[in-house]
Amino acid sequence: MTQRVELATVRDRLAVDEVVTEYAVAVDDGDWETYRGLFTSDGRADYRSAGGIEGDAKAVAAWLAESLRGFPVRQHLIVNRRVRFGVWEQDTGDTARVRADYVNPMGAAAGDGDGPAAAPDVVRGGRYAFGMLRTDEGWRLNEVIVREMWRRLPARSAAPAAP
């Protein structure tokens, strides 16, 4: 591999990684316009393994906005990112696949503003599969698949003892 190809690969890797980060921030901040803008015009997302829907970015953004309304505190931690680029004639192609693990704590109520929020009400973990295409506007998502692997719900308080 030449230095020029290696530099192009590093630049693409950073750009793809930025899209994954922007995705997490958009969901956590409820910025559905940015979320939709991260996708190609025919981009789709599949949240069925997490109890959600599968559909185009616009429909999924509307579903996320509604279903996450009860959790104003959200924080995606996306780690162990594996990036693989499509290869065409020994050069970096215009496609990328990213596999990444996630942990996603969500809280139903924010703190009082003077300190941190209470412990999260729900914590989910799993793996994302991101499919990306290079477009005239840069790298964009054409596919997001969520594979929820575990979920921790709040502990239920014991019922009070009968008098």
Side-chain angles (χ1 to χ4, degrees), residues 127-147:
R127 182 164 287 157
Y128 279 111
F130 296 101
M132 296 192 198
L133 295 175
R134 184 193 319 267
T135 71
D136 291 340
E137 294 80 35
W139 287 95
R140 294 291 182 266
L141 297 164
N142 71 325
E143 177 182 60
V144 174
I145 300 172
V146 176
R147 291 188 183 94

Side-chain angles (χ1 to χ4, degrees), residues 99-110:
R99 188 181 87 178
D101 297 327
Y102 72 89
V103 175
N104 178 213
M106 300 188 305

